[in-house]
Amino acid sequence: MSSSPLSKKRRLSGTETKTGSHCSSSNSVRTDLSHTPANGMAKNGNDAEIDEGLYSRQLYVLGHEAMKRMQNSNVLISGMRGLGVEIAKNVILGGVRSVTIHDEGVAEWRDLSSQFYLREEDLGKNRAEVSQARLAELNSYVPVTGYTGPLTEDYLTKFQVVVLTNSTLDEQQTLGEFCHSKGIKLIVADTRGLFGQLFCDFGEEMIVYDTNGEQPLSAMISMITKDSAGVVTCLDEARHGFESGDYVTFTEIQGMTELNGCKPVEIKVLGPYTFSICDTSGFTDYIRGGIVSQVKMPKKISFKSLSSSLAQPEFLMTDFAKMEFPGQMHLGFQAIHAFQKKHGHLPAPWSQADGEELLALAKDVNSAQTGSAKVEQLNESLIKKMSYVAAGDLAPVNAFFGGLAAQEVMKACTGKFMPIMQWLYFDALECLAEEEGFMLTEEECAPKNCRYDGQVAVFGTKMQDLLAKQRYFLVGAGAIGCELLKNFAMIGLAAGEGEVIVTDMDTIEKSNLNRQFLFRPWDVTKMKSDTAAAAVKLMNPAIKITGHQNRVGPDTERIYDDDFFESLDGVANALDNVDARMYMDRRCVYYRKPLLESGTLGTKGNVQVVIPFLTESYSSSQDPPEKSIPICTLKNFPNAIEHTLQWARDEFEGLFKQPPENAMQYLTYRTLKLPGAQPAEVLEALYKSLVTDCPQNWADCVAWARNHWQCQYSNNIRQLLHNFPPDQVQSEGSSQAQTNECCFQELHMDYVVAAANLFAQTYGLQGSTDRAGVIKILQDVKVPPFTPRSGVKIHDDDTNFHMDFIVAASNLRAENYDIPPTDRHKSKLIAGKIIPAIATTTAAVVGLVCLELFKIIKGHKKLESYKNGFMNLALPFFAFSEPIAAPKHKVNWTYRECTCIHLLPHLHAGILKFVFTGFLSVSCSMTEIVTKVSKKKLGKHVKALVFELCCNDLSDEDVEVPYVRYTIR
């Protein structure tokens, strides 16, 4: 960015390069920032339609309203070094109205350490011009413009959000004051080696519509008192989960009806099952029932301008172990600006002289401060380390801050989630050598005119050589996998004698493109691993990378065998399920390989590092199981849409999945081998499917669907009402059931059409979506009259019509119980158990993963050097802690007296595993024993046996001991 101040002439100068769908360039300024992509599906703007096929996972994070607000925002991102391009990538994937990238500088060698859209042939070219076309490929809905002139006042007024990176402090203050006065939201982001800062100014009055993004809570009521502050008691089946200051509304209360449908009421939590509300002393007496629901209330927040906030900073803590550091780093960054202004460059890498000068400048800055900006005593060691690494440019740090800054852009555009108030500082000093006082030489860290200059400035050339020799196994090439590969390429992992092996058996789908940024629309249906490998080869041609299409598991242990794992330096997981994670964890524990584990859920992310003999493994701790829905609630007394959706899923399985499986069991002669009474049940169901319910034509399918509708949504509900009359109190506190009438409402037709088509597909018949034809058939369908039975007990126990059926079935069920229905989008999230995802969280999490990778490669031995991390960008919240130490095993134990070997009936990891529970007096070899017991010959790929020892100590207590590996080849 130019160091010149805002022009008073309000002129426009410089050049812009812009794109629609990879369009032409021009010197004229773009005024119409709306855009229609090549496929003509939608455009960003007030009349925007949202491409749910592309944004599906992100929509579950932001919601439709926030997405529409974001599509009205034009964003300027200044500075196209590593941090700037990372922010731009995430914002473009997010789907704003337009993005303009700005830079007046040209590409240098040190930029290639983290700017993944610059190549060696781009050296000397303007960074914005080169990056524009490559960024434009990320999202055809977002036009990307490159601008290379100075930032003038007239130019800035085109934007709702301005992001400054790689800018001077003078520029930040001047532009910050202008933006603050004009209501333009400002974000300032900077990284200096292992340090980073982020600042937000979203104006004097900003409305946050949803502070945390969580689904509103609800609870069932058992009592409400009449008092000056009425006390609400919830059923003691589950804690209400509310917090003081929350707002709630009430429905279905009998007696104290004044609360039903009232305006949101602020509450004060009294306990896990109670809270107080407004004055209820004048209300009628409470009788029974009722549901209390949380309401998201808009919150107004105010920001100070950058100049004001410099003098009175408000910090967001990112590491509770270093609570004194934000103030120190706040001064350190100002001192770096002062040094750069004085000399025209950053402090030289690991220069002791520059370190002393920066310390003196920091003292001067501190002495000029007043109030909260001033610290009592400078941390001289920290300030010097900031000087030593300030010239560095690290891809992982830029990935972390790029994810955070892009999320703040989205908050500024949408009012969704709580912004950072107002400064955030972060450091990763644990990545340096563990020895106290360790110093690298200036010579080792000086620029070499190579693509790793920005990284060598921090870690030196020896570390770069180590990175090039690494052999790593990456499991998964999805969102996290793509980000890891990008970072691997930038840091030079396996760029010499090493290799990265990435495996993923999936192909690319359209919905992947919103987060898995290595893929493009023309890559859809291609294999993820090969496509990702080719993409990162363009970013760094030196990386040695091989793509596989294998699922990791017992079936591929002949491929990923002893030789394979023993050749690795480490493993990185990029998986989407716990079972595969635990499998890879077991493999890494056995082969004593470090494991980098991470995951995301919407705006939440976590990082775990597993180091052999130092930390606990991934499998050592597990999350509690998901809370299940009671059968009686599911079958008879639902009170939430989640209950009706689960019921609809079960209905789908029973109607359209189980009958074909029964038929297949019968045809393959497996029915009679089933245990207990299952053979008779399967045969009875099979007879119903093939004889009594078997349709001959489309009309039969419609008739079946109509009668099934009658059974589920009218007759069964009438039976329930017969058993539980409306005036009978339900101990469950659920809604009173009611029947559905008339099969020709739109929702009812949705159900009949979907069910009839699914039924037709099951029997290989031609279906139809002609509603007029369906109505005509329905007019001739005879529906048997219903008579309730006495003495019946209530037991306590997408284009293919699948989602159409589940949504219709769920909403019909909800209609029975007066539960508010939900749309297809939310239904798919709940019923499909879809994991919400957004690119910002993924980028930030992977940045932290790669910082831990640096520590592993440097060979850190101290537990406190490593950091497990958890973040929630919505709050925002960050927490880091050292990993839990590996368990220690007792040494004084004896073999339990027993003489048997139990062979487990499976091969594990190319190893035959069995339990050895004592001494055996045998003269044959261990391989012969295993062969005799298992009655199988050992495969050639089996190179070791694993013994599970059952032992006790001298006091005869059971003792947990590690597996014993017995090498045979």
Side-chain angles (χ1 to χ4, degrees):
M1 179 186 286
S2 168
S3 60
S4 58
L6 285 173
S7 170
K8 299 298 181 183
K9 297 179 181 179
R10 294 178 177 271
R11 63 186 174 85
L12 289 172
S13 62
T15 62
E16 285 188 324
T17 305
K18 50 191 175 294
T19 182
S21 285
H22 328 308
C23 297
S24 60
S25 63
S26 169
N27 291 329
S28 62
V29 177
R30 186 187 187 102
T31 55
D32 177 15
L33 293 174
S34 63
H35 173 56
T36 302
N39 60 17
M41 288 185 65
K43 66 179 181 179
N44 283 354
N46 290 323
D47 57 346
E49 295 178 6
I50 299 172
D51 185 346
E52 294 191 5
L54 175 65
Y55 293 117
S56 60
R57 297 296 182 91
Q58 181 176 295
L59 276 168
Y60 294 126
V61 181
L62 297 179
H64 284 78
E65 291 305 313
M67 278 291 296
K68 289 177 180 177
R69 287 194 290 268
M70 193 157 66
Q71 289 181 340
N72 287 316
S73 297
N74 304 308
V75 180
L76 170 70
I77 302 171
S78 178
M80 279 296 109
R81 286 197 158 113
L83 176 58
V85 78
E86 183 71 46
I87 298 170
K89 178 257 290 181
N90 295 325
V91 171
I92 292 166
L93 290 172
V96 295
R97 182 185 178 97
S98 75
V99 170
T100 297
I101 56 173
H102 167 258
D103 204 313
E104 297 178 62
V106 298
E108 307 169 7
W109 276 111
R110 68 189 181 104
D111 294 330
L112 300 183
S113 292
S114 65
Q115 220 285 23
F116 46 86
Y117 284 148
L118 293 180
R119 300 167 187 169
E120 291 188 18
E121 59 265 29
D122 299 324
L123 294 172
K125 299 178 183 177
N126 180 274
R127 288 183 288 253
E129 289 183 337
V130 173
S131 304
Q132 177 265 332
R134 292 162 189 166
L135 284 166
E137 292 180 347
L138 289 168
N139 191 342
S140 63
Y141 292 100
V142 181
V144 179
T145 302
Y147 178 61
T148 61
L151 297 178
T152 65
E153 292 181 358
D154 272 353
Y155 195 75
L156 288 181
T157 57
K158 299 165 58 176
F159 305 99
Q160 284 72 50
V161 184
V162 171
V163 183
L164 301 180
T165 72
N166 192 36
S167 57
T168 68
L169 184 59
D170 289 340
E171 288 171 326
Q172 292 170 8
Q173 290 182 283
T174 303
L175 299 179
E177 287 300 319
F178 175 77
C179 289
H180 190 82
S181 68
K182 297 298 182 181
I184 300 170
K185 296 176 174 64
L186 175 73
I187 296 168
V188 177
D190 279 308
T191 58
R192 301 294 181 203
L194 291 166
F195 295 85
Q197 73 168 0
L198 189 61
F199 169 80
C200 295
D201 171 15
F202 295 167
E204 294 182 3
E205 186 176 284
M206 179 192 181
I207 297 177
V208 178
Y209 298 97
D210 182 353
T211 58
N212 59 20
E214 300 294 332
Q215 289 296 319
L217 301 170
S218 65
M220 289 183 286
I221 301 167
S222 63
M223 184 60 191
I224 305 176
T225 65
K226 294 177 66 174
D227 210 333
S228 58
V231 175
V232 180
T233 303
C234 299
L235 292 177
D236 58 6
E237 294 177 353
R239 296 168 180 259
H240 54 63
F242 299 134
E243 296 179 1
S244 293
D246 283 349
Y247 284 79
V248 299
T249 57
F250 299 87
T251 55
E252 301 184 30
I253 296 174
Q254 296 183 42
M256 197 176 284
T257 55
E258 293 89 344
L259 287 175
N260 286 334
C262 68
K263 293 181 179 180
V265 179
E266 187 175 1
I267 69 169
K268 180 180 179 182
V269 171
L270 304 177
Y273 308 102
T274 57
F275 58 86
S276 62
I277 54 173
C278 56
D279 185 350
T280 59
S281 57
F283 292 176
T284 53
D285 291 341
Y286 172 82
I287 298 176
R288 70 170 74 92
I291 297 174
V292 56
S293 301
Q294 184 185 33
V295 178
K296 295 293 183 76
M297 299 293 290
K299 182 176 182 179
K300 290 183 180 180
I301 54 177
S302 179
F303 294 81
K304 292 181 287 190
S305 68
L306 187 140
S307 296
S308 299
S309 188
L310 278 171
Q312 294 179 314
E314 181 179 352
F315 300 121
L316 173 70
M317 299 298 177
T318 59
D319 193 334
F320 299 113
K322 302 177 181 177
M323 293 187 69
E324 79 279 9
F325 279 15
Q328 302 279 348
M329 288 189 277
H330 187 66
L331 294 171
F333 268 90
Q334 292 179 64
I336 291 172
H337 282 297
F339 186 101
Q340 193 172 16
K341 184 176 182 179
K342 178 180 178 181
H343 296 284
H345 60 78
L346 293 165
W350 292 91
S351 166
Q352 295 192 48
D354 286 358
E356 292 292 344
E357 183 176 352
L358 189 76
L359 177 60
L361 287 170
K363 289 179 179 178
D364 291 342
V365 172
N366 190 41
S367 62
Q369 301 294 326
T370 59
S372 60
K374 189 170 186 176
V375 299
E376 291 186 10
Q377 184 173 357
L378 277 178
N379 185 324
E380 297 187 3
S381 174
L382 177 71
I383 300 297
K384 286 183 179 179
K385 286 178 182 176
M386 291 185 75
S387 175
Y388 299 153
V389 302
D393 191 29
L394 298 179
V397 177
N398 287 333
F400 177 64
F401 270 85
L404 269 58
Q407 189 67 60
E408 295 307 303
V409 171
M410 295 183 184
K411 293 175 185 178
C413 296
T414 65
K416 180 91 172 187
F417 309 137
M418 180 60 67
I420 289 173
M421 301 292 294
Q422 286 187 253
W423 293 93
L424 178 145
Y425 286 95
F426 172 83
D427 78 90
L429 286 174
E430 294 87 1
C431 292
L432 297 177
E434 291 181 307
E435 299 85 0
E436 187 66 31
F438 177 85
M439 286 286 294
L440 291 167
T441 65
E442 290 185 56
E443 181 181 3
E444 186 180 357
C445 301
K448 307 293 190 296
N449 287 339
C450 78
R451 67 176 303 119
Y452 308 114
D453 276 356
Q455 189 163 278
V456 169
V458 178
F459 297 122
T461 54
K462 293 179 182 177
M463 175 65 168
Q464 203 58 51
D465 293 339
L466 280 174
L467 283 161
K469 297 176 183 177
Q470 295 296 302
R471 181 175 166 85
Y472 256 76
F473 186 30
L474 172 59
V475 189
I480 289 177
C482 284
E483 290 289 339
L484 281 168
L485 287 174
K486 176 256 292 180
N487 281 274
F488 288 173
M490 292 295 96
I491 68 177
L493 190 77
E497 301 171 7
E499 183 182 17
V500 172
I501 304 97
V502 54
T503 187
D504 196 309
M505 63 180 297
D506 285 346
T507 57
I508 299 164
E509 300 175 3
K510 181 181 178 181
S511 63
N512 300 148
L513 305 179
N514 177 242
R515 307 169 318 285
Q516 301 172 23
F517 83 107
L518 297 180
F519 308 140
R520 300 291 175 268
W522 50 86
D523 294 324
V524 171
T525 73
K526 294 180 182 178
M527 299 304 300
K528 286 186 177 181
S529 56
D530 290 341
T531 308
V536 295
K537 285 285 283 184
L538 293 175
M539 295 177 176
N540 183 356
I543 187 173
K544 304 292 194 307
I545 184 167
T546 305
H548 291 182
Q549 290 80 45
N550 303 315
R551 184 195 301 274
V552 292
D555 294 342
T556 55
E557 287 175 358
R558 292 177 180 271
I559 299 170
Y560 306 122
D561 55 11
D562 282 7
D563 290 340
F564 176 82
F565 268 91
E566 287 168 0
S567 71
L568 296 176
D569 292 294
V571 175
N573 275 349
L575 293 160
D576 60 0
N577 67 88
V578 172
D579 289 342
R581 285 180 164 102
M582 294 183 72
Y583 173 82
M584 287 308 302
D585 178 64
R586 292 194 300 269
R587 299 281 265 166
C588 290
V589 168
Y590 175 74
Y591 289 106
R592 303 175 183 179
K593 301 298 178 183
L595 172 65
L596 292 165
E597 170 59 50
S598 59
T600 68
L601 176 65
T603 58
K604 301 169 186 174
N606 72 283
V607 176
Q608 181 178 356
V609 58
V610 179
I611 308 297
F613 307 112
L614 186 64
T615 74
E616 71 170 5
S617 68
Y618 172 81
S619 305
S620 297
S621 59
Q622 297 182 28
D623 292 333
E626 290 186 11
K627 188 176 179 181
S628 59
I629 304 170
I631 295 296
C632 60
T633 300
L634 203 61
K635 282 196 168 187
N636 300 309
F637 304 112
N639 55 73
I641 199 68
E642 288 79 5
H643 302 159
T644 65
L645 279 165
Q646 182 59 52
W647 181 91
R649 276 186 53 139
D650 295 345
E651 177 85 345
F652 178 88
E653 297 261 332
L655 291 175
F656 307 114
K657 183 173 180 288
Q658 197 60 49
E661 290 181 354
N662 290 341
M664 185 56 64
Q665 280 188 333
Y666 179 77
L667 293 173
T668 54
Y669 303 101
R670 288 185 287 129
T671 300
L672 297 179
K673 297 178 182 179
L674 295 171
Q678 289 187 48
E681 294 171 359
V682 170
L683 289 172
E684 183 179 346
L686 187 62
Y687 180 80
K688 184 179 181 183
S689 298
L690 298 181
V691 181
T692 58
D693 284 355
C694 183
Q696 302 300 314
N697 49 46
W698 171 239
D700 289 349
C701 297
V702 173
W704 174 88
R706 171 63 179 87
N707 279 294
H708 194 75
W709 180 96
Q710 186 72 24
C711 176
Q712 293 292 65
Y713 302 106
S714 185
N715 295 354
N716 286 353
I717 298 300
R718 290 178 181 179
Q719 182 65 55
L720 187 66
L721 289 170
H722 177 76
N723 286 82
F724 294 91
D727 58 349
Q728 183 171 336
V729 178
Q730 299 297 325
S731 61
E732 290 83 357
S734 64
S735 304
Q736 178 59 49
Q738 58 192 26
T739 60
N740 285 337
E741 301 298 339
C742 179
C743 191
F744 296 100
Q745 294 178 17
E746 184 177 356
L747 177 59
H748 302 176
M749 281 297 295
D750 289 344
Y751 177 89
V752 171
V753 170
N757 273 280
L758 286 166
F759 198 61
Q761 289 173 12
T762 303
Y763 290 91
L765 298 173
Q766 182 65 43
S768 173
T769 56
D770 177 14
R771 293 199 167 209
V774 171
I775 291 174
K776 187 175 181 180
I777 295 171
L778 287 172
Q779 291 172 348
D780 296 326
V781 174
K782 295 181 179 179
V783 179
F786 171 75
T787 303
R789 293 167 290 162
S790 299
V792 175
K793 294 182 179 180
I794 302 299
H795 296 288
D796 200 9
D797 43 62
D798 286 77
T799 57
N800 56 8
F801 298 101
H802 291 198
M803 274 310 300
D804 301 86
F805 175 84
I806 289 174
V807 172
S810 170
N811 284 338
L812 282 167
R813 180 80 165 169
E815 192 175 274
N816 283 141
Y817 289 86
D818 201 22
I819 298 169
T822 193
D823 59 19
R824 182 187 180 91
H825 178 71
K826 185 176 179 182
S827 296
K828 192 173 181 179
L829 170 69
I830 299 170
K833 299 183 179 179
I834 293 174
I835 305 297
I838 192 168
T840 51
T841 312
T842 307
V845 162
V846 170
L848 296 178
V849 170
C850 291
L851 290 175
E852 298 307 305
L853 175 62
F854 283 146
K855 302 171 189 177
I856 292 172
I857 293 172
K858 287 180 74 70
H860 283 9
K861 303 297 183 186
K862 297 178 181 178
L863 189 69
E864 59 269 23
S865 296
Y866 294 95
K867 297 292 181 185
N868 289 343
F870 175 81
M871 69 180 76
N872 187 341
L873 300 186
L875 297 178
F877 172 81
F878 304 89
F880 299 92
S881 63
E882 66 182 49
I884 297 175
K888 304 296 182 183
H889 294 283
K890 294 182 180 180
V891 294
N892 294 325
W893 52 271
T894 60
Y895 286 113
R896 179 178 298 156
E897 295 183 1
C898 184
T899 56
C900 71
I901 295 178
H902 176 61
L903 185 64
L904 299 183
H906 65 279
L907 289 175
H908 173 73
I911 302 152
L912 211 54
K913 178 184 173 186
F914 57 90
V915 179
F916 174 46
T917 54
F919 290 113
L920 288 175
S921 298
V922 291
S923 57
C924 54
S925 66
M926 294 303 296
T927 55
E928 289 175 313
I929 294 173
V930 173
T931 301
K932 287 180 180 179
V933 174
S934 66
K935 299 179 182 179
K936 293 180 181 178
K937 290 185 178 180
L938 293 179
K940 292 182 179 180
H941 69 291
V942 178
K943 296 188 175 183
L945 303 172
V946 174
F947 297 98
E948 184 174 342
L949 306 179
C950 298
C951 309
N952 60 330
D953 59 19
L954 297 176
S955 60
D956 206 33
E957 294 292 328
D958 288 341
V959 178
E960 181 184 347
V961 296
Y963 291 137
V964 173
R965 185 174 190 265
Y966 183 82
T967 303
I968 58 176
R969 290 187 178 92

